[in-house]
Amino acid sequence: MALCTNGVLLVTQAHSRAEVAGVPLLHRVFLSGRKVGVQRWVVLCSTSAGAIQQSLAAATKLCDVTWQVYDLQTIQPSQLVASLPREDLLVIMTAAAFDHRLL
């Protein structure tokens, strides 16, 4: 049974675009999340929201995962509250490489 189906990822630093073995850290978070049942992500960015959105859109390995990217510098607080899932939730504070079993 999955831990949860919703994830929130907070991306605050440019290093989140770094790659490990040719796979961006952001994609690795989504791939690890998928292994434990997370199928929907909300990505909150304080920088590079457009680049992150483009990177996710081009990721063929993530075609079965849905996501929405929000720029924390431009989103209104009411929009942010409305965008967050109300049910079970996995929150990750940075894009990083980790084993899915940690989730």
Side-chain angles (χ1 to χ4, degrees):
M1 183 156 94
L3 293 174
C4 62
T5 58
N6 300 292
V8 173
L9 175 61
L10 179 61
V11 180
T12 60
Q13 300 175 358
H15 81 272
S16 64
R17 293 188 308 204
E19 294 183 359
V20 175
V23 179
L25 290 176
L26 178 64
H27 298 197
R28 289 186 176 279
V29 170
F30 280 29
L31 292 168
S32 293
R34 183 173 63 193
K35 287 181 180 179
V36 296
V38 179
Q39 293 298 311
R40 293 179 299 275
W41 286 94
V42 172
V43 181
L44 306 175
C45 308
S46 62
T47 183
S48 307
I52 289 171
Q53 190 151 346
Q54 288 176 354
S55 175
L56 290 171
T60 57
K61 289 183 179 182
L62 299 173
C63 63
D64 59 338
V65 177
T66 60
W67 46 267
Q68 186 63 44
V69 177
Y70 295 98
D71 185 336
L72 291 173
Q73 296 186 28
T74 60
I75 191 170
Q76 296 296 317
S78 59
Q79 288 177 295
L80 181 58
V81 169
S83 72
L84 295 175
R86 301 278 185 248
E87 58 274 357
D88 59 342
L89 186 63
L90 171 69
V91 178
I92 298 177
M93 299 300 289
T94 188
F98 53 86
D99 191 283
H100 72 277
R101 292 173 286 199
L102 290 174
L103 302 178

